[in-house]
Amino acid sequence: MKRFLFLTFALLLLPFLCRAEAIKLKNGTIINGSILDRGEYILRVQTSYGPISINQREVEAIMPDLHRVLLKGGGEFVGTVVDLDEFNLSLNTDSGLVNIDVADISSMEVYDYESAEKQKKYIAKKQELEEAAKQETSAKAETQNGAAQKTSESVSSAAASAAVSSSGLSFDEDLEKVFPSKPEVVEPKITYKYHVHNSEQAAKEEAEEEEETPVLTEAEKKQQEQEEALVTEQIKKKDTGKNYFAVHVGALTTDLKLNLQEYGGGEEDVGGTNVAFSVAYMRKLSSRLWLGGGVGYGMLSKNEFEYPLTGAEKMYVETSGQVYDVNVLMNFYLNTQSALRFYLTGGVGYTSASLDETPSKYELQNVDTGEYGWTTQESNTISNGNFNAVFGLGAEYAIDDVNLGLEVKGKYFSFKDELESSSKMSVYTTLKVSWFF
């Protein structure tokens, strides 16, 4: 039975063993075939598309042919056939010599170094040139009956040279006679593009993968899944939420100047940096754009001013107040796919300042006794307001269900009348706590 299998396999393999070489040309083309004749200048090769003649100058190397051996178990090997007998096939692969049981072989085929389309074009061109040379030789032989054989050989040589020259592969015949070119047969180092599959190799690769992958306990897996889900939920919360509510607490710089000339003073600074609060509600218009509004409240610190009058008489003026803001706001997020997000903020609104002015006078109250005392005059409330424009930059980071952030905004506005000399710019820096829902 084994002898029958061997004979069958040998008959199947015989056509492949006949084509035992691959010829690599200097232009990169590889011709698979068997060498019929190796002349001093011409190499005659039998290919699957027919015989062709190759100029020795075109040849870069002659390489051994490769065969792909397919196994019944599903694996495969690629290499050159070293030996074949009734029981065993020896194949030289890039991993070394492999001995394969003939009974385990399913089929065997020639392994081309590259696609056959390039070979086919090259061979067709060669055959076309050879046919043209033959026709020209035949035509000249008929016109020169006196020296038929000699002329035929000369014309054939000239025609072949002309045909080769037309393909860009001509060479100097005299130079070739002095320095004959012969291809150097080398054994190139070839990296075969294939994988060897067998049960032993597969088991080894699987064991290596298991060693590289750390084994987690059920508790560790559950904790890892919870952490990943929490981060994903924090990021998605801002993507899925349609509403946004925020509370701001920070510092407001308000440079207010009050005219106190009626009390003997001048333009006095009654503002400064003070504590401020605000709340904001926003509605999602797109993944980046939110529109809404907010209200703010800032306190003005208490200030006292003293002005001498005549003698022991003096005038004291005490000021305090508040600043109110109502704004339409817009937030534009620069990066939406992150737990830490940056955004631009801006809007327009109205700013109002309410300033309480309380004057007190230290004066002579009893002429006979020379007694001095305080006389508190009626307080005066100054209210002033105007439209404003706000602009700034913010950042927020998700921690569980709460988003913590920092926001810095500039506010442009102007007052009139008693507060006309005040600065038109104010800066509002706050810490922010917000929720998306």
Side-chain angles (χ1 to χ4, degrees), residues 381-436:
T381 300
I382 300 170
S383 296
N384 206 320
N386 206 344
F387 291 100
N388 66 49
V390 295
F391 51 90
L393 177 67
E396 59 189 17
Y397 184 77
I399 302 178
D400 294 334
D401 294 334
V402 179
N403 302 282
L404 301 181
L406 176 68
E407 192 171 284
V408 180
K409 291 189 293 187
K411 180 173 67 173
Y412 178 85
F413 64 98
S414 63
F415 289 126
K416 298 174 291 184
D417 301 331
E418 298 93 334
L419 300 176
E420 187 176 2
S421 300
S422 301
S423 173
K424 294 180 173 57
M425 284 297 299
S426 179
V427 178
Y428 187 27
T429 305
T430 65
L431 295 175
K432 183 181 78 169
V433 181
S434 59
W435 297 265
F436 287 82

Tab-separated table of all heavy atoms in Angstrom, residues 381-436:
chain	number	residue	atom	x	y	z
A	381	THR	N	-28.213	106.499	49.235
A	381	THR	CA	-28.017	105.276	48.435
A	381	THR	C	-27.841	105.659	46.973
A	381	THR	O	-28.714	106.329	46.403
A	381	THR	CB	-29.205	104.317	48.574
A	381	THR	OG1	-29.348	103.940	49.951
A	381	THR	CG2	-28.969	103.068	47.731
A	382	ILE	N	-26.708	105.199	46.418
A	382	ILE	CA	-26.399	105.488	45.016
A	382	ILE	C	-26.591	104.198	44.219
A	382	ILE	O	-25.958	103.183	44.496
A	382	ILE	CB	-24.967	106.002	44.862
A	382	ILE	CG1	-24.771	107.276	45.673
A	382	ILE	CG2	-24.630	106.222	43.389
A	382	ILE	CD1	-23.324	107.715	45.753
A	383	SER	N	-27.457	104.232	43.242
A	383	SER	CA	-27.693	103.079	42.361
A	383	SER	C	-27.292	103.453	40.944
A	383	SER	O	-27.693	104.507	40.444
A	383	SER	CB	-29.169	102.660	42.391
A	383	SER	OG	-29.527	102.214	43.683
A	384	ASN	N	-26.538	102.565	40.334
A	384	ASN	CA	-26.042	102.835	38.993
A	384	ASN	C	-25.916	101.508	38.255
A	384	ASN	O	-25.528	100.496	38.850
A	384	ASN	CB	-24.686	103.535	39.061
A	384	ASN	CG	-24.420	104.386	37.838
A	384	ASN	OD1	-24.749	103.978	36.728
A	384	ASN	ND2	-23.830	105.556	38.051
A	385	GLY	N	-26.213	101.483	36.979
A	385	GLY	CA	-26.123	100.243	36.217
A	385	GLY	C	-25.939	100.480	34.739
A	385	GLY	O	-26.192	101.566	34.236
A	386	ASN	N	-25.494	99.427	34.048
A	386	ASN	CA	-25.293	99.521	32.604
A	386	ASN	C	-25.122	98.112	32.039
A	386	ASN	O	-24.914	97.146	32.779
A	386	ASN	CB	-24.066	100.374	32.286
A	386	ASN	CG	-24.170	101.024	30.915
A	386	ASN	OD1	-24.994	100.626	30.095
A	386	ASN	ND2	-23.334	102.025	30.686
A	387	PHE	N	-25.194	98.004	30.727
A	387	PHE	CA	-25.017	96.707	30.073
A	387	PHE	C	-23.549	96.274	30.134
A	387	PHE	O	-22.632	97.107	30.181
A	387	PHE	CB	-25.473	96.772	28.616
A	387	PHE	CG	-26.957	96.929	28.479
A	387	PHE	CD1	-27.514	98.180	28.228
A	387	PHE	CD2	-27.798	95.839	28.632
A	387	PHE	CE1	-28.883	98.329	28.106
A	387	PHE	CE2	-29.163	95.978	28.510
A	387	PHE	CZ	-29.718	97.232	28.251
A	388	ASN	N	-23.337	94.957	30.099
A	388	ASN	CA	-21.971	94.428	30.175
A	388	ASN	C	-21.759	93.341	29.130
A	388	ASN	O	-22.714	92.836	28.529
A	388	ASN	CB	-21.672	93.871	31.574
A	388	ASN	CG	-22.508	92.642	31.905
A	388	ASN	OD1	-22.606	91.699	31.133
A	388	ASN	ND2	-23.124	92.635	33.080
A	389	ALA	N	-20.507	92.985	28.943
A	389	ALA	CA	-20.104	91.855	28.090
A	389	ALA	C	-19.085	91.039	28.865
A	389	ALA	O	-18.146	91.600	29.454
A	389	ALA	CB	-19.508	92.346	26.776
A	390	VAL	N	-19.250	89.718	28.876
A	390	VAL	CA	-18.336	88.846	29.628
A	390	VAL	C	-17.679	87.865	28.657
A	390	VAL	O	-18.251	87.480	27.637
A	390	VAL	CB	-19.079	88.074	30.746
A	390	VAL	CG1	-19.615	89.018	31.789
A	390	VAL	CG2	-20.200	87.219	30.172
A	391	PHE	N	-16.463	87.432	28.993
A	391	PHE	CA	-15.704	86.477	28.181
A	391	PHE	C	-14.676	85.824	29.092
A	391	PHE	O	-14.181	86.441	30.048
A	391	PHE	CB	-15.003	87.191	27.014
A	391	PHE	CG	-14.201	88.384	27.428
A	391	PHE	CD1	-12.875	88.264	27.782
A	391	PHE	CD2	-14.793	89.640	27.486
A	391	PHE	CE1	-12.135	89.368	28.179
A	391	PHE	CE2	-14.064	90.749	27.882
A	391	PHE	CZ	-12.732	90.619	28.227
A	392	GLY	N	-14.366	84.547	28.829
A	392	GLY	CA	-13.396	83.865	29.678
A	392	GLY	C	-13.126	82.443	29.250
A	392	GLY	O	-13.532	81.986	28.180
A	393	LEU	N	-12.438	81.730	30.137
A	393	LEU	CA	-12.015	80.350	29.895
A	393	LEU	C	-12.285	79.526	31.138
A	393	LEU	O	-12.089	80.006	32.266
A	393	LEU	CB	-10.519	80.308	29.554
A	393	LEU	CG	-9.877	78.941	29.325
A	393	LEU	CD1	-10.429	78.297	28.064
A	393	LEU	CD2	-8.356	79.076	29.228
A	394	GLY	N	-12.734	78.270	30.946
A	394	GLY	CA	-13.025	77.407	32.085
A	394	GLY	C	-12.545	75.990	31.855
A	394	GLY	O	-12.247	75.582	30.734
A	395	ALA	N	-12.467	75.246	32.952
A	395	ALA	CA	-12.091	73.827	32.905
A	395	ALA	C	-12.885	73.099	33.975
A	395	ALA	O	-13.154	73.651	35.051
A	395	ALA	CB	-10.601	73.652	33.133
A	396	GLU	N	-13.263	71.844	33.687
A	396	GLU	CA	-14.004	71.049	34.658
A	396	GLU	C	-13.587	69.591	34.556
A	396	GLU	O	-13.234	69.110	33.478
A	396	GLU	CB	-15.512	71.197	34.434
A	396	GLU	CG	-15.975	70.778	33.054
A	396	GLU	CD	-17.423	71.143	32.791
A	396	GLU	OE1	-17.951	71.991	33.531
A	396	GLU	OE2	-18.003	70.581	31.857
A	397	TYR	N	-13.640	68.908	35.691
A	397	TYR	CA	-13.218	67.503	35.766
A	397	TYR	C	-14.282	66.703	36.516
A	397	TYR	O	-14.774	67.139	37.570
A	397	TYR	CB	-11.876	67.389	36.475
A	397	TYR	CG	-11.331	65.985	36.508
A	397	TYR	CD1	-10.742	65.417	35.387
A	397	TYR	CD2	-11.438	65.208	37.661
A	397	TYR	CE1	-10.253	64.130	35.398
A	397	TYR	CE2	-10.948	63.916	37.682
A	397	TYR	CZ	-10.354	63.374	36.559
A	397	TYR	OH	-9.872	62.100	36.575
A	398	ALA	N	-14.631	65.547	35.979
A	398	ALA	CA	-15.686	64.712	36.560
A	398	ALA	C	-15.133	63.860	37.689
A	398	ALA	O	-14.165	63.133	37.518
A	398	ALA	CB	-16.299	63.823	35.487
A	399	ILE	N	-15.750	63.960	38.870
A	399	ILE	CA	-15.452	63.104	40.021
A	399	ILE	C	-16.778	62.531	40.493
A	399	ILE	O	-17.596	63.242	41.084
A	399	ILE	CB	-14.754	63.871	41.151
A	399	ILE	CG1	-13.456	64.507	40.645
A	399	ILE	CG2	-14.487	62.968	42.336
A	399	ILE	CD1	-12.734	65.329	41.685
A	400	ASP	N	-16.973	61.239	40.209
A	400	ASP	CA	-18.253	60.592	40.474
A	400	ASP	C	-19.359	61.347	39.747
A	400	ASP	O	-19.295	61.547	38.548
A	400	ASP	CB	-18.505	60.489	41.982
A	400	ASP	CG	-17.504	59.561	42.655
A	400	ASP	OD1	-16.988	58.657	41.967
A	400	ASP	OD2	-17.220	59.748	43.852
A	401	ASP	N	-20.389	61.809	40.511
A	401	ASP	CA	-21.513	62.497	39.894
A	401	ASP	C	-21.335	64.012	39.855
A	401	ASP	O	-22.174	64.727	39.328
A	401	ASP	CB	-22.808	62.186	40.650
A	401	ASP	CG	-23.191	60.713	40.535
A	401	ASP	OD1	-22.788	60.101	39.532
A	401	ASP	OD2	-23.882	60.202	41.424
A	402	VAL	N	-20.251	64.506	40.448
A	402	VAL	CA	-20.029	65.944	40.558
A	402	VAL	C	-18.872	66.339	39.642
A	402	VAL	O	-17.906	65.601	39.480
A	402	VAL	CB	-19.713	66.335	42.016
A	402	VAL	CG1	-19.444	67.832	42.129
A	402	VAL	CG2	-20.864	65.932	42.915
A	403	ASN	N	-18.984	67.523	39.055
A	403	ASN	CA	-17.920	68.071	38.225
A	403	ASN	C	-17.327	69.291	38.916
A	403	ASN	O	-18.046	70.253	39.202
A	403	ASN	CB	-18.461	68.460	36.849
A	403	ASN	CG	-19.095	67.287	36.137
A	403	ASN	OD1	-18.411	66.433	35.597
A	403	ASN	ND2	-20.425	67.246	36.146
A	404	LEU	N	-16.037	69.236	39.199
A	404	LEU	CA	-15.341	70.350	39.811
A	404	LEU	C	-14.598	71.115	38.738
A	404	LEU	O	-14.047	70.520	37.809
A	404	LEU	CB	-14.360	69.862	40.876
A	404	LEU	CG	-14.958	69.057	42.035
A	404	LEU	CD1	-13.863	68.675	43.020
A	404	LEU	CD2	-16.061	69.845	42.740
A	405	GLY	N	-14.563	72.446	38.886
A	405	GLY	CA	-13.911	73.225	37.847
A	405	GLY	C	-13.398	74.553	38.338
A	405	GLY	O	-13.572	74.947	39.503
A	406	LEU	N	-12.762	75.261	37.424
A	406	LEU	CA	-12.217	76.595	37.657
A	406	LEU	C	-12.590	77.458	36.455
A	406	LEU	O	-12.481	77.020	35.313
A	406	LEU	CB	-10.694	76.544	37.820
A	406	LEU	CG	-9.977	77.885	37.964
A	406	LEU	CD1	-10.341	78.536	39.284
A	406	LEU	CD2	-8.465	77.689	37.869
A	407	GLU	N	-13.022	78.692	36.750
A	407	GLU	CA	-13.449	79.578	35.676
A	407	GLU	C	-12.924	80.992	35.925
A	407	GLU	O	-12.985	81.503	37.046
A	407	GLU	CB	-14.975	79.581	35.592
A	407	GLU	CG	-15.526	80.246	34.340
A	407	GLU	CD	-17.020	80.040	34.205
A	407	GLU	OE1	-17.427	78.924	33.822
A	407	GLU	OE2	-17.785	80.972	34.512
A	408	VAL	N	-12.397	81.598	34.878
A	408	VAL	CA	-11.904	82.979	34.948
A	408	VAL	C	-12.598	83.766	33.849
A	408	VAL	O	-12.499	83.424	32.669
A	408	VAL	CB	-10.368	83.040	34.773
A	408	VAL	CG1	-9.894	84.490	34.839
A	408	VAL	CG2	-9.663	82.207	35.832
A	409	LYS	N	-13.311	84.837	34.264
A	409	LYS	CA	-14.051	85.651	33.305
A	409	LYS	C	-13.693	87.123	33.473
A	409	LYS	O	-13.465	87.602	34.581
A	409	LYS	CB	-15.565	85.479	33.492
A	409	LYS	CG	-16.075	84.115	33.103
A	409	LYS	CD	-17.584	84.064	33.085
A	409	LYS	CE	-18.195	84.208	34.463
A	409	LYS	NZ	-19.648	83.984	34.451
A	410	GLY	N	-13.649	87.805	32.355
A	410	GLY	CA	-13.508	89.252	32.360
A	410	GLY	C	-14.840	89.895	32.044
A	410	GLY	O	-15.620	89.366	31.243
A	411	LYS	N	-15.111	91.040	32.658
A	411	LYS	CA	-16.390	91.721	32.450
A	411	LYS	C	-16.123	93.179	32.065
A	411	LYS	O	-15.362	93.879	32.739
A	411	LYS	CB	-17.244	91.637	33.706
A	411	LYS	CG	-18.603	92.317	33.584
A	411	LYS	CD	-19.462	92.049	34.809
A	411	LYS	CE	-18.890	92.721	36.048
A	411	LYS	NZ	-19.807	92.606	37.211
A	412	TYR	N	-16.761	93.607	30.992
A	412	TYR	CA	-16.602	94.977	30.517
A	412	TYR	C	-17.926	95.721	30.724
A	412	TYR	O	-18.985	95.263	30.277
A	412	TYR	CB	-16.214	95.000	29.037
A	412	TYR	CG	-16.069	96.385	28.476
A	412	TYR	CD1	-14.881	97.082	28.610
A	412	TYR	CD2	-17.136	96.991	27.828
A	412	TYR	CE1	-14.752	98.369	28.103
A	412	TYR	CE2	-17.018	98.274	27.313
A	412	TYR	CZ	-15.821	98.956	27.463
A	412	TYR	OH	-15.697	100.230	26.969
A	413	PHE	N	-17.872	96.860	31.400
A	413	PHE	CA	-19.070	97.655	31.664
A	413	PHE	C	-18.622	99.081	31.991
A	413	PHE	O	-17.438	99.357	32.185
A	413	PHE	CB	-19.877	97.072	32.829
A	413	PHE	CG	-19.140	97.097	34.133
A	413	PHE	CD1	-19.356	98.111	35.051
A	413	PHE	CD2	-18.203	96.126	34.446
A	413	PHE	CE1	-18.664	98.151	36.248
A	413	PHE	CE2	-17.515	96.161	35.637
A	413	PHE	CZ	-17.745	97.172	36.545
A	414	SER	N	-19.587	99.989	32.109
A	414	SER	CA	-19.290	101.374	32.492
A	414	SER	C	-20.464	101.950	33.280
A	414	SER	O	-21.630	101.617	33.022
A	414	SER	CB	-19.022	102.225	31.246
A	414	SER	OG	-20.171	102.286	30.422
A	415	PHE	N	-20.130	102.820	34.299
A	415	PHE	CA	-21.150	103.479	35.106
A	415	PHE	C	-21.239	104.956	34.725
A	415	PHE	O	-20.404	105.491	33.992
A	415	PHE	CB	-20.831	103.336	36.591
A	415	PHE	CG	-21.016	101.933	37.107
A	415	PHE	CD1	-19.987	101.284	37.762
A	415	PHE	CD2	-22.223	101.274	36.943
A	415	PHE	CE1	-20.154	100.013	38.245
A	415	PHE	CE2	-22.397	99.991	37.417
A	415	PHE	CZ	-21.357	99.350	38.071
A	416	LYS	N	-22.248	105.620	35.301
A	416	LYS	CA	-22.464	107.040	35.007
A	416	LYS	C	-22.551	107.831	36.315
A	416	LYS	O	-22.497	107.266	37.401
A	416	LYS	CB	-23.755	107.207	34.199
A	416	LYS	CG	-23.744	106.520	32.834
A	416	LYS	CD	-25.097	106.599	32.155
A	416	LYS	CE	-26.128	105.751	32.854
A	416	LYS	NZ	-27.430	105.733	32.148
A	417	ASP	N	-22.688	109.128	36.154
A	417	ASP	CA	-22.907	110.060	37.266
A	417	ASP	C	-21.787	109.963	38.306
A	417	ASP	O	-20.625	110.107	37.968
A	417	ASP	CB	-24.282	109.804	37.900
A	417	ASP	CG	-25.409	109.968	36.895
A	417	ASP	OD1	-25.233	110.755	35.949
A	417	ASP	OD2	-26.435	109.285	37.051
A	418	GLU	N	-22.120	109.651	39.566
A	418	GLU	CA	-21.126	109.659	40.645
A	418	GLU	C	-20.045	108.603	40.455
A	418	GLU	O	-18.942	108.721	40.994
A	418	GLU	CB	-21.801	109.447	42.009
A	418	GLU	CG	-22.790	110.511	42.415
A	418	GLU	CD	-24.205	110.139	42.003
A	418	GLU	OE1	-24.339	109.360	41.010
A	418	GLU	OE2	-25.154	110.620	42.635
A	419	LEU	N	-20.338	107.530	39.717
A	419	LEU	CA	-19.381	106.429	39.523
A	419	LEU	C	-18.756	106.450	38.125
A	419	LEU	O	-18.170	105.453	37.693
A	419	LEU	CB	-20.079	105.082	39.738
A	419	LEU	CG	-20.696	104.852	41.121
A	419	LEU	CD1	-21.438	103.529	41.165
A	419	LEU	CD2	-19.621	104.881	42.206
A	420	GLU	N	-18.842	107.557	37.446
A	420	GLU	CA	-18.391	107.627	36.060
A	420	GLU	C	-16.894	107.379	35.916
A	420	GLU	O	-16.429	106.875	34.897
A	420	GLU	CB	-18.746	108.996	35.480
A	420	GLU	CG	-18.472	109.117	33.989
A	420	GLU	CD	-18.929	110.452	33.444
A	420	GLU	OE1	-19.428	111.284	34.242
A	420	GLU	OE2	-18.803	110.654	32.226
A	421	SER	N	-16.092	107.718	36.932
A	421	SER	CA	-14.630	107.567	36.866
A	421	SER	C	-14.169	106.139	37.145
A	421	SER	O	-12.963	105.863	37.136
A	421	SER	CB	-13.961	108.515	37.863
A	421	SER	OG	-14.296	109.854	37.569
A	422	SER	N	-15.094	105.224	37.417
A	422	SER	CA	-14.726	103.837	37.747
A	422	SER	C	-14.125	103.124	36.543
A	422	SER	O	-14.391	103.469	35.384
A	422	SER	CB	-15.957	103.072	38.229
A	422	SER	OG	-16.521	103.686	39.371
A	423	SER	N	-13.299	102.097	36.828
A	423	SER	CA	-12.692	101.293	35.768
A	423	SER	C	-13.777	100.516	35.021
A	423	SER	O	-14.788	100.100	35.597
A	423	SER	CB	-11.683	100.320	36.366
A	423	SER	OG	-11.206	99.431	35.380
A	424	LYS	N	-13.551	100.316	33.752
A	424	LYS	CA	-14.534	99.619	32.914
A	424	LYS	C	-14.309	98.114	32.865
A	424	LYS	O	-15.072	97.400	32.227
A	424	LYS	CB	-14.494	100.185	31.494
A	424	LYS	CG	-14.955	101.625	31.394
A	424	LYS	CD	-14.901	102.116	29.972
A	424	LYS	CE	-15.527	103.503	29.849
A	424	LYS	NZ	-14.899	104.504	30.722
A	425	MET	N	-13.256	97.608	33.486
A	425	MET	CA	-12.958	96.169	33.476
A	425	MET	C	-13.023	95.595	34.881
A	425	MET	O	-12.619	96.227	35.846
A	425	MET	CB	-11.568	95.900	32.886
A	425	MET	CG	-11.502	96.018	31.379
A	425	MET	SD	-12.535	94.793	30.533
A	425	MET	CE	-11.803	93.263	31.108
A	426	SER	N	-13.545	94.363	34.937
A	426	SER	CA	-13.616	93.637	36.201
A	426	SER	C	-13.284	92.174	35.924
A	426	SER	O	-13.588	91.654	34.840
A	426	SER	CB	-15.025	93.754	36.793
A	426	SER	OG	-15.115	93.035	38.003
A	427	VAL	N	-12.649	91.514	36.886
A	427	VAL	CA	-12.252	90.109	36.732
A	427	VAL	C	-12.952	89.275	37.794
A	427	VAL	O	-12.934	89.623	38.989
A	427	VAL	CB	-10.724	89.947	36.850
A	427	VAL	CG1	-10.341	88.471	36.729
A	427	VAL	CG2	-10.015	90.762	35.775
A	428	TYR	N	-13.545	88.174	37.353
A	428	TYR	CA	-14.295	87.279	38.237
A	428	TYR	C	-13.648	85.887	38.169
A	428	TYR	O	-13.723	85.214	37.149
A	428	TYR	CB	-15.751	87.230	37.781
A	428	TYR	CG	-16.678	86.470	38.687
A	428	TYR	CD1	-16.432	86.326	40.046
A	428	TYR	CD2	-17.845	85.896	38.181
A	428	TYR	CE1	-17.307	85.639	40.871
A	428	TYR	CE2	-18.733	85.210	38.987
A	428	TYR	CZ	-18.454	85.084	40.340
A	428	TYR	OH	-19.330	84.398	41.151
A	429	THR	N	-12.995	85.453	39.242
A	429	THR	CA	-12.315	84.151	39.320
A	429	THR	C	-13.043	83.282	40.321
A	429	THR	O	-13.186	83.685	41.497
A	429	THR	CB	-10.854	84.314	39.727
A	429	THR	OG1	-10.197	85.213	38.824
A	429	THR	CG2	-10.127	82.972	39.712
A	430	THR	N	-13.483	82.096	39.902
A	430	THR	CA	-14.307	81.265	40.782
A	430	THR	C	-13.934	79.802	40.714
A	430	THR	O	-13.415	79.326	39.699
A	430	THR	CB	-15.799	81.392	40.420
A	430	THR	OG1	-16.001	80.852	39.092
A	430	THR	CG2	-16.266	82.816	40.442
A	431	LEU	N	-14.209	79.106	41.796
A	431	LEU	CA	-14.272	77.659	41.818
A	431	LEU	C	-15.707	77.262	41.506
A	431	LEU	O	-16.653	77.929	41.942
A	431	LEU	CB	-13.846	77.095	43.165
A	431	LEU	CG	-12.381	77.316	43.561
A	431	LEU	CD1	-12.145	76.813	44.983
A	431	LEU	CD2	-11.441	76.633	42.579
A	432	LYS	N	-15.880	76.170	40.775
A	432	LYS	CA	-17.194	75.810	40.267
A	432	LYS	C	-17.544	74.376	40.617
A	432	LYS	O	-16.696	73.474	40.501
A	432	LYS	CB	-17.231	76.011	38.741
A	432	LYS	CG	-18.575	75.719	38.132
A	432	LYS	CD	-18.537	75.914	36.616
A	432	LYS	CE	-17.885	74.762	35.933
A	432	LYS	NZ	-18.063	74.798	34.474
A	433	VAL	N	-18.775	74.165	41.039
A	433	VAL	CA	-19.321	72.814	41.232
A	433	VAL	C	-20.532	72.711	40.326
A	433	VAL	O	-21.441	73.555	40.392
A	433	VAL	CB	-19.717	72.564	42.701
A	433	VAL	CG1	-20.265	71.147	42.860
A	433	VAL	CG2	-18.529	72.788	43.620
A	434	SER	N	-20.578	71.672	39.484
A	434	SER	CA	-21.662	71.583	38.508
A	434	SER	C	-22.176	70.153	38.401
A	434	SER	O	-21.513	69.194	38.780
A	434	SER	CB	-21.182	72.072	37.123
A	434	SER	OG	-20.085	71.295	36.675
A	435	TRP	N	-23.384	70.052	37.863
A	435	TRP	CA	-24.044	68.765	37.630
A	435	TRP	C	-24.623	68.759	36.227
A	435	TRP	O	-25.179	69.759	35.772
A	435	TRP	CB	-25.181	68.540	38.625
A	435	TRP	CG	-24.777	68.466	40.060
A	435	TRP	CD1	-24.506	67.355	40.786
A	435	TRP	CD2	-24.598	69.578	40.938
A	435	TRP	NE1	-24.172	67.680	42.075
A	435	TRP	CE2	-24.202	69.046	42.196
A	435	TRP	CE3	-24.702	70.962	40.804
A	435	TRP	CZ2	-23.947	69.845	43.297
A	435	TRP	CZ3	-24.432	71.770	41.905
A	435	TRP	CH2	-24.070	71.218	43.125
A	436	PHE	N	-24.509	67.614	35.562
A	436	PHE	CA	-25.161	67.413	34.259
A	436	PHE	C	-26.333	66.457	34.465
A	436	PHE	O	-26.166	65.394	35.077
A	436	PHE	CB	-24.184	66.830	33.230
A	436	PHE	CG	-23.157	67.825	32.759
A	436	PHE	CD1	-22.018	68.088	33.492
A	436	PHE	CD2	-23.337	68.499	31.563
A	436	PHE	CE1	-21.091	68.995	33.064
A	436	PHE	CE2	-22.403	69.406	31.118
A	436	PHE	CZ	-21.274	69.659	31.876
